[in-house]
Amino acid sequence: MSYGSSTIAASLSQETLKLATDAIPAYTFGCINKATGSSVPPQGLLGLGRGPLSLLSQTQDLYKSTFSYCLPSFKSLNFSGSLRLGPVAQPKRIKYTPLLKNPRRSSLYYVNLVGIKVGRKTVDIPPSALAFNPTTGAGTIIDSGTVFTRLVVPVYTAVRDEFRRRMGKAVVSSLGGFDTCYSVPITVPTLTFMFAGMNVTLPQDNFLIHSSSSNLACLAIAAAPDNVNSVLNVIANLQQQNHRLLFDVPNSRLGVARETCS
C-alpha cells in the first residue's frame, strides 16, 4: 500500500497489543517487510485516523474514539510529548471546533477554517478558497503526519502578501521551498487561524523556521502542491507543537489548548 510518498510491503498480522496495562486482543496491523520513500519512518506508523483498521476504530469499546496529544517543539531534546487515549483525564477547559466528515476521504479530520489573521488584520481571502466540499475533497484538515502547513494557492498568496506587508521594509529572500525569509533578528506579527467556534493564535515558534546554516528565518508555510491535495489546506505538526489537540470523534469536535510540553 502507499502512504504519502512511501510504498509499504507488509504482512497483515494479528496479535494481542498491550498499551500500558490495557490489552487489546486480536489487534490487526501491518508488519512491515519493506518501505520506500520518506513518509513512513522505520519504526512504522500509528493509525489515529477514522479508517476501519486504525487504532481508534479497533479500540472503540475501550477508548471511545477519543484521544489527545501534545507534540513538543522539534528543538526539544527529550521525548516530552504525550498521547492520551480515551475520555479519562482529557482537559476540561478547552476550546472546540466541529469535526467534519468527507465520505471520499473518510479517514481525514476536516475542520472549518473560516479565516486567517496576520497581526490584528483579517486577511482578505475568497470564501470559496476555504469552503468544505466533499465532492472535490476541498477544505481544511488537521494532520500530524505533515511538517509544514500547506494552504491552497489563493489563501497562501493572500497570507504571505499580508505578512510581507506587515514586515515593512525588511528585505525578503527565499530558502529552499520557502519564499518569505528574513535576516534575524526580526519582529514578526502573530498568526491566527480562525475556525468555526474558536481562534488559535500561534506564537512565532509555530510558524517561523530558522535556517541551521545562515541567519535567515522563514515563514514556515507553503502553497499546496500541484497534485490530489491542491484543493486541501493542511494544518501541520509544526503549527501544532506545544498545543493539546483533543479529538472527540463521538461528539464530532476537535479541542485545542496551548500546552507547553517541550
PDB file of all heavy atoms in Angstrom, residues 188-218:
ATOM      1  N   VAL A 188       8.147  39.865  14.283  1.00  0.00           N
ATOM      2  CA  VAL A 188       7.111  39.382  13.361  1.00  0.00           C
ATOM      3  C   VAL A 188       5.725  39.515  13.980  1.00  0.00           C
ATOM      4  O   VAL A 188       5.576  39.456  15.201  1.00  0.00           O
ATOM      5  CB  VAL A 188       7.357  37.901  12.962  1.00  0.00           C
ATOM      6  CG1 VAL A 188       8.625  37.759  12.162  1.00  0.00           C
ATOM      7  CG2 VAL A 188       7.382  36.998  14.178  1.00  0.00           C
ATOM      8  N   PRO A 189       4.685  39.668  13.129  1.00  0.00           N
ATOM      9  CA  PRO A 189       3.314  39.693  13.653  1.00  0.00           C
ATOM     10  C   PRO A 189       2.878  38.292  14.087  1.00  0.00           C
ATOM     11  O   PRO A 189       3.525  37.309  13.726  1.00  0.00           O
ATOM     12  CB  PRO A 189       2.496  40.154  12.438  1.00  0.00           C
ATOM     13  CG  PRO A 189       3.303  39.750  11.249  1.00  0.00           C
ATOM     14  CD  PRO A 189       4.740  39.835  11.671  1.00  0.00           C
ATOM     15  N   THR A 190       1.798  38.214  14.867  1.00  0.00           N
ATOM     16  CA  THR A 190       1.255  36.895  15.211  1.00  0.00           C
ATOM     17  C   THR A 190       0.440  36.372  14.018  1.00  0.00           C
ATOM     18  O   THR A 190       0.114  37.113  13.094  1.00  0.00           O
ATOM     19  CB  THR A 190       0.312  36.960  16.428  1.00  0.00           C
ATOM     20  OG1 THR A 190      -0.693  37.947  16.150  1.00  0.00           O
ATOM     21  CG2 THR A 190       1.049  37.304  17.703  1.00  0.00           C
ATOM     22  N   LEU A 191       0.135  35.091  14.079  1.00  0.00           N
ATOM     23  CA  LEU A 191      -0.685  34.450  13.056  1.00  0.00           C
ATOM     24  C   LEU A 191      -1.851  33.796  13.790  1.00  0.00           C
ATOM     25  O   LEU A 191      -1.635  33.071  14.768  1.00  0.00           O
ATOM     26  CB  LEU A 191       0.167  33.401  12.345  1.00  0.00           C
ATOM     27  CG  LEU A 191      -0.122  33.029  10.905  1.00  0.00           C
ATOM     28  CD1 LEU A 191      -0.122  34.263  10.011  1.00  0.00           C
ATOM     29  CD2 LEU A 191       0.900  32.023  10.404  1.00  0.00           C
ATOM     30  N   THR A 192      -3.083  34.059  13.344  1.00  0.00           N
ATOM     31  CA  THR A 192      -4.260  33.461  13.992  1.00  0.00           C
ATOM     32  C   THR A 192      -5.069  32.685  12.968  1.00  0.00           C
ATOM     33  O   THR A 192      -5.452  33.226  11.920  1.00  0.00           O
ATOM     34  CB  THR A 192      -5.159  34.553  14.623  1.00  0.00           C
ATOM     35  OG1 THR A 192      -4.391  35.301  15.571  1.00  0.00           O
ATOM     36  CG2 THR A 192      -6.359  33.936  15.339  1.00  0.00           C
ATOM     37  N   PHE A 193      -5.292  31.401  13.269  1.00  0.00           N
ATOM     38  CA  PHE A 193      -6.193  30.595  12.449  1.00  0.00           C
ATOM     39  C   PHE A 193      -7.581  30.699  13.068  1.00  0.00           C
ATOM     40  O   PHE A 193      -7.757  30.399  14.251  1.00  0.00           O
ATOM     41  CB  PHE A 193      -5.732  29.142  12.397  1.00  0.00           C
ATOM     42  CG  PHE A 193      -4.508  28.932  11.541  1.00  0.00           C
ATOM     43  CD1 PHE A 193      -3.242  28.822  12.116  1.00  0.00           C
ATOM     44  CD2 PHE A 193      -4.609  28.845  10.156  1.00  0.00           C
ATOM     45  CE1 PHE A 193      -2.106  28.643  11.329  1.00  0.00           C
ATOM     46  CE2 PHE A 193      -3.479  28.670   9.366  1.00  0.00           C
ATOM     47  CZ  PHE A 193      -2.236  28.570   9.953  1.00  0.00           C
ATOM     48  N   MET A 194      -8.554  31.137  12.270  1.00  0.00           N
ATOM     49  CA  MET A 194      -9.922  31.310  12.760  1.00  0.00           C
ATOM     50  C   MET A 194     -10.772  30.133  12.285  1.00  0.00           C
ATOM     51  O   MET A 194     -11.017  29.976  11.085  1.00  0.00           O
ATOM     52  CB  MET A 194     -10.488  32.631  12.239  1.00  0.00           C
ATOM     53  CG  MET A 194      -9.644  33.830  12.657  1.00  0.00           C
ATOM     54  SD  MET A 194      -9.858  35.257  11.573  1.00  0.00           S
ATOM     55  CE  MET A 194     -11.464  35.813  12.118  1.00  0.00           C
ATOM     56  N   PHE A 195     -11.163  29.284  13.240  1.00  0.00           N
ATOM     57  CA  PHE A 195     -12.019  28.143  12.936  1.00  0.00           C
ATOM     58  C   PHE A 195     -13.435  28.449  13.409  1.00  0.00           C
ATOM     59  O   PHE A 195     -13.637  29.346  14.239  1.00  0.00           O
ATOM     60  CB  PHE A 195     -11.514  26.885  13.666  1.00  0.00           C
ATOM     61  CG  PHE A 195     -10.117  26.471  13.282  1.00  0.00           C
ATOM     62  CD1 PHE A 195      -9.034  26.805  14.082  1.00  0.00           C
ATOM     63  CD2 PHE A 195      -9.881  25.758  12.118  1.00  0.00           C
ATOM     64  CE1 PHE A 195      -7.741  26.436  13.734  1.00  0.00           C
ATOM     65  CE2 PHE A 195      -8.594  25.380  11.760  1.00  0.00           C
ATOM     66  CZ  PHE A 195      -7.518  25.713  12.573  1.00  0.00           C
ATOM     67  N   ALA A 196     -14.405  27.696  12.920  1.00  0.00           N
ATOM     68  CA  ALA A 196     -15.776  27.855  13.405  1.00  0.00           C
ATOM     69  C   ALA A 196     -15.765  27.635  14.917  1.00  0.00           C
ATOM     70  O   ALA A 196     -15.371  26.569  15.394  1.00  0.00           O
ATOM     71  CB  ALA A 196     -16.691  26.834  12.723  1.00  0.00           C
ATOM     72  N   GLY A 197     -16.128  28.651  15.689  1.00  0.00           N
ATOM     73  CA  GLY A 197     -16.228  28.495  17.150  1.00  0.00           C
ATOM     74  C   GLY A 197     -14.968  28.744  17.939  1.00  0.00           C
ATOM     75  O   GLY A 197     -15.011  28.794  19.164  1.00  0.00           O
ATOM     76  N   MET A 198     -13.812  28.874  17.293  1.00  0.00           N
ATOM     77  CA  MET A 198     -12.586  29.138  18.062  1.00  0.00           C
ATOM     78  C   MET A 198     -11.494  29.755  17.199  1.00  0.00           C
ATOM     79  O   MET A 198     -11.395  29.477  16.011  1.00  0.00           O
ATOM     80  CB  MET A 198     -12.051  27.854  18.729  1.00  0.00           C
ATOM     81  CG  MET A 198     -11.383  26.890  17.792  1.00  0.00           C
ATOM     82  SD  MET A 198     -10.535  25.542  18.643  1.00  0.00           S
ATOM     83  CE  MET A 198      -9.841  24.679  17.236  1.00  0.00           C
ATOM     84  N   ASN A 199     -10.686  30.593  17.834  1.00  0.00           N
ATOM     85  CA  ASN A 199      -9.490  31.141  17.193  1.00  0.00           C
ATOM     86  C   ASN A 199      -8.260  30.539  17.853  1.00  0.00           C
ATOM     87  O   ASN A 199      -8.245  30.343  19.062  1.00  0.00           O
ATOM     88  CB  ASN A 199      -9.441  32.666  17.355  1.00  0.00           C
ATOM     89  CG  ASN A 199     -10.450  33.378  16.465  1.00  0.00           C
ATOM     90  OD1 ASN A 199     -11.153  32.746  15.688  1.00  0.00           O
ATOM     91  ND2 ASN A 199     -10.525  34.684  16.598  1.00  0.00           N
ATOM     92  N   VAL A 200      -7.238  30.237  17.055  1.00  0.00           N
ATOM     93  CA  VAL A 200      -5.975  29.740  17.598  1.00  0.00           C
ATOM     94  C   VAL A 200      -4.875  30.703  17.155  1.00  0.00           C
ATOM     95  O   VAL A 200      -4.548  30.772  15.964  1.00  0.00           O
ATOM     96  CB  VAL A 200      -5.673  28.302  17.112  1.00  0.00           C
ATOM     97  CG1 VAL A 200      -4.318  27.837  17.639  1.00  0.00           C
ATOM     98  CG2 VAL A 200      -6.773  27.336  17.537  1.00  0.00           C
ATOM     99  N   THR A 201      -4.344  31.472  18.117  1.00  0.00           N
ATOM    100  CA  THR A 201      -3.259  32.417  17.811  1.00  0.00           C
ATOM    101  C   THR A 201      -1.926  31.747  18.105  1.00  0.00           C
ATOM    102  O   THR A 201      -1.706  31.254  19.210  1.00  0.00           O
ATOM    103  CB  THR A 201      -3.413  33.710  18.629  1.00  0.00           C
ATOM    104  OG1 THR A 201      -4.661  34.317  18.267  1.00  0.00           O
ATOM    105  CG2 THR A 201      -2.280  34.691  18.330  1.00  0.00           C
ATOM    106  N   LEU A 202      -1.067  31.726  17.101  1.00  0.00           N
ATOM    107  CA  LEU A 202       0.199  30.993  17.223  1.00  0.00           C
ATOM    108  C   LEU A 202       1.349  31.913  17.591  1.00  0.00           C
ATOM    109  O   LEU A 202       1.506  32.990  17.003  1.00  0.00           O
ATOM    110  CB  LEU A 202       0.532  30.309  15.894  1.00  0.00           C
ATOM    111  CG  LEU A 202      -0.460  29.261  15.395  1.00  0.00           C
ATOM    112  CD1 LEU A 202      -0.034  28.765  14.023  1.00  0.00           C
ATOM    113  CD2 LEU A 202      -0.572  28.095  16.371  1.00  0.00           C
ATOM    114  N   PRO A 203       2.184  31.493  18.557  1.00  0.00           N
ATOM    115  CA  PRO A 203       3.443  32.211  18.777  1.00  0.00           C
ATOM    116  C   PRO A 203       4.404  31.919  17.618  1.00  0.00           C
ATOM    117  O   PRO A 203       4.204  30.959  16.876  1.00  0.00           O
ATOM    118  CB  PRO A 203       3.962  31.612  20.093  1.00  0.00           C
ATOM    119  CG  PRO A 203       3.268  30.321  20.266  1.00  0.00           C
ATOM    120  CD  PRO A 203       2.012  30.343  19.447  1.00  0.00           C
ATOM    121  N   GLN A 204       5.459  32.739  17.491  1.00  0.00           N
ATOM    122  CA  GLN A 204       6.293  32.623  16.287  1.00  0.00           C
ATOM    123  C   GLN A 204       7.010  31.281  16.142  1.00  0.00           C
ATOM    124  O   GLN A 204       7.302  30.854  15.028  1.00  0.00           O
ATOM    125  CB  GLN A 204       7.277  33.779  16.190  1.00  0.00           C
ATOM    126  CG  GLN A 204       8.337  33.841  17.267  1.00  0.00           C
ATOM    127  CD  GLN A 204       9.292  35.003  17.015  1.00  0.00           C
ATOM    128  OE1 GLN A 204       8.876  36.080  16.613  1.00  0.00           O
ATOM    129  NE2 GLN A 204      10.565  34.787  17.245  1.00  0.00           N
ATOM    130  N   ASP A 205       7.251  30.574  17.256  1.00  0.00           N
ATOM    131  CA  ASP A 205       7.880  29.249  17.149  1.00  0.00           C
ATOM    132  C   ASP A 205       7.038  28.278  16.326  1.00  0.00           C
ATOM    133  O   ASP A 205       7.552  27.279  15.832  1.00  0.00           O
ATOM    134  CB  ASP A 205       8.113  28.637  18.544  1.00  0.00           C
ATOM    135  CG  ASP A 205       9.443  29.080  19.126  1.00  0.00           C
ATOM    136  OD1 ASP A 205      10.170  29.828  18.441  1.00  0.00           O
ATOM    137  OD2 ASP A 205       9.755  28.671  20.265  1.00  0.00           O
ATOM    138  N   ASN A 206       5.740  28.561  16.207  1.00  0.00           N
ATOM    139  CA  ASN A 206       4.857  27.678  15.451  1.00  0.00           C
ATOM    140  C   ASN A 206       4.756  28.031  13.960  1.00  0.00           C
ATOM    141  O   ASN A 206       4.097  27.320  13.215  1.00  0.00           O
ATOM    142  CB  ASN A 206       3.441  27.682  16.041  1.00  0.00           C
ATOM    143  CG  ASN A 206       3.357  26.943  17.365  1.00  0.00           C
ATOM    144  OD1 ASN A 206       3.417  27.557  18.410  1.00  0.00           O
ATOM    145  ND2 ASN A 206       3.237  25.638  17.322  1.00  0.00           N
ATOM    146  N   PHE A 207       5.377  29.139  13.540  1.00  0.00           N
ATOM    147  CA  PHE A 207       5.298  29.430  12.097  1.00  0.00           C
ATOM    148  C   PHE A 207       6.579  30.013  11.512  1.00  0.00           C
ATOM    149  O   PHE A 207       6.612  30.344  10.331  1.00  0.00           O
ATOM    150  CB  PHE A 207       4.091  30.329  11.769  1.00  0.00           C
ATOM    151  CG  PHE A 207       4.107  31.680  12.425  1.00  0.00           C
ATOM    152  CD1 PHE A 207       4.801  32.742  11.857  1.00  0.00           C
ATOM    153  CD2 PHE A 207       3.436  31.893  13.616  1.00  0.00           C
ATOM    154  CE1 PHE A 207       4.826  33.989  12.460  1.00  0.00           C
ATOM    155  CE2 PHE A 207       3.441  33.142  14.232  1.00  0.00           C
ATOM    156  CZ  PHE A 207       4.138  34.190  13.649  1.00  0.00           C
ATOM    157  N   LEU A 208       7.644  30.135  12.337  1.00  0.00           N
ATOM    158  CA  LEU A 208       8.929  30.600  11.801  1.00  0.00           C
ATOM    159  C   LEU A 208       9.937  29.471  11.923  1.00  0.00           C
ATOM    160  O   LEU A 208      10.061  28.862  12.990  1.00  0.00           O
ATOM    161  CB  LEU A 208       9.449  31.782  12.607  1.00  0.00           C
ATOM    162  CG  LEU A 208       9.146  33.218  12.186  1.00  0.00           C
ATOM    163  CD1 LEU A 208      10.111  34.147  12.915  1.00  0.00           C
ATOM    164  CD2 LEU A 208       9.206  33.449  10.695  1.00  0.00           C
ATOM    165  N   ILE A 209      10.653  29.210  10.849  1.00  0.00           N
ATOM    166  CA  ILE A 209      11.700  28.188  10.911  1.00  0.00           C
ATOM    167  C   ILE A 209      13.035  28.879  10.654  1.00  0.00           C
ATOM    168  O   ILE A 209      13.161  29.698   9.747  1.00  0.00           O
ATOM    169  CB  ILE A 209      11.428  27.042   9.915  1.00  0.00           C
ATOM    170  CG1 ILE A 209      12.472  25.942  10.046  1.00  0.00           C
ATOM    171  CG2 ILE A 209      11.330  27.501   8.484  1.00  0.00           C
ATOM    172  CD1 ILE A 209      11.925  24.680  10.614  1.00  0.00           C
ATOM    173  N   HIS A 210      14.016  28.588  11.520  1.00  0.00           N
ATOM    174  CA  HIS A 210      15.325  29.229  11.400  1.00  0.00           C
ATOM    175  C   HIS A 210      16.279  28.315  10.646  1.00  0.00           C
ATOM    176  O   HIS A 210      16.340  27.121  10.918  1.00  0.00           O
ATOM    177  CB  HIS A 210      15.887  29.542  12.794  1.00  0.00           C
ATOM    178  CG  HIS A 210      15.103  30.607  13.511  1.00  0.00           C
ATOM    179  ND1 HIS A 210      15.477  31.930  13.525  1.00  0.00           N
ATOM    180  CD2 HIS A 210      13.939  30.534  14.199  1.00  0.00           C
ATOM    181  CE1 HIS A 210      14.577  32.636  14.202  1.00  0.00           C
ATOM    182  NE2 HIS A 210      13.635  31.809  14.624  1.00  0.00           N
ATOM    183  N   SER A 211      16.993  28.889   9.721  1.00  0.00           N
ATOM    184  CA  SER A 211      17.971  28.114   8.959  1.00  0.00           C
ATOM    185  C   SER A 211      19.112  27.678   9.879  1.00  0.00           C
ATOM    186  O   SER A 211      19.546  28.445  10.739  1.00  0.00           O
ATOM    187  CB  SER A 211      18.533  28.971   7.828  1.00  0.00           C
ATOM    188  OG  SER A 211      19.712  28.388   7.324  1.00  0.00           O
ATOM    189  N   SER A 212      19.579  26.440   9.682  1.00  0.00           N
ATOM    190  CA  SER A 212      20.690  25.962  10.520  1.00  0.00           C
ATOM    191  C   SER A 212      22.037  26.426   9.961  1.00  0.00           C
ATOM    192  O   SER A 212      23.050  26.342  10.644  1.00  0.00           O
ATOM    193  CB  SER A 212      20.651  24.431  10.597  1.00  0.00           C
ATOM    194  OG  SER A 212      20.598  23.902   9.286  1.00  0.00           O
ATOM    195  N   SER A 213      22.032  26.922   8.722  1.00  0.00           N
ATOM    196  CA  SER A 213      23.320  27.273   8.100  1.00  0.00           C
ATOM    197  C   SER A 213      23.480  28.768   7.806  1.00  0.00           C
ATOM    198  O   SER A 213      24.520  29.194   7.325  1.00  0.00           O
ATOM    199  CB  SER A 213      23.480  26.489   6.798  1.00  0.00           C
ATOM    200  OG  SER A 213      22.401  26.767   5.940  1.00  0.00           O
ATOM    201  N   SER A 214      22.412  29.568   8.062  1.00  0.00           N
ATOM    202  CA  SER A 214      22.533  31.014   7.820  1.00  0.00           C
ATOM    203  C   SER A 214      21.705  31.753   8.859  1.00  0.00           C
ATOM    204  O   SER A 214      21.098  31.135   9.730  1.00  0.00           O
ATOM    205  CB  SER A 214      22.037  31.350   6.410  1.00  0.00           C
ATOM    206  OG  SER A 214      20.637  31.166   6.337  1.00  0.00           O
ATOM    207  N   ASN A 215      21.662  33.080   8.740  1.00  0.00           N
ATOM    208  CA  ASN A 215      20.913  33.837   9.746  1.00  0.00           C
ATOM    209  C   ASN A 215      19.499  34.163   9.252  1.00  0.00           C
ATOM    210  O   ASN A 215      18.910  35.165   9.619  1.00  0.00           O
ATOM    211  CB  ASN A 215      21.667  35.123  10.124  1.00  0.00           C
ATOM    212  CG  ASN A 215      21.704  36.110   8.973  1.00  0.00           C
ATOM    213  OD1 ASN A 215      21.598  35.715   7.793  1.00  0.00           O
ATOM    214  ND2 ASN A 215      21.824  37.390   9.286  1.00  0.00           N
ATOM    215  N   LEU A 216      18.954  33.283   8.401  1.00  0.00           N
ATOM    216  CA  LEU A 216      17.613  33.513   7.870  1.00  0.00           C
ATOM    217  C   LEU A 216      16.544  32.813   8.701  1.00  0.00           C
ATOM    218  O   LEU A 216      16.765  31.717   9.230  1.00  0.00           O
ATOM    219  CB  LEU A 216      17.514  33.008   6.424  1.00  0.00           C
ATOM    220  CG  LEU A 216      18.234  33.814   5.333  1.00  0.00           C
ATOM    221  CD1 LEU A 216      18.030  33.156   3.980  1.00  0.00           C
ATOM    222  CD2 LEU A 216      17.757  35.261   5.296  1.00  0.00           C
ATOM    223  N   ALA A 217      15.389  33.450   8.815  1.00  0.00           N
ATOM    224  CA  ALA A 217      14.198  32.831   9.395  1.00  0.00           C
ATOM    225  C   ALA A 217      13.092  32.949   8.362  1.00  0.00           C
ATOM    226  O   ALA A 217      12.925  34.008   7.742  1.00  0.00           O
ATOM    227  CB  ALA A 217      13.793  33.523  10.686  1.00  0.00           C
ATOM    228  N   CYS A 218      12.354  31.852   8.150  1.00  0.00           N
ATOM    229  CA  CYS A 218      11.355  31.829   7.083  1.00  0.00           C
ATOM    230  C   CYS A 218       9.963  31.569   7.640  1.00  0.00           C
ATOM    231  O   CYS A 218       9.800  30.844   8.635  1.00  0.00           O
ATOM    232  CB  CYS A 218      11.664  30.717   6.079  1.00  0.00           C
ATOM    233  SG  CYS A 218      13.277  30.867   5.292  1.00  0.00           S
TER     234      CYS A 218
END
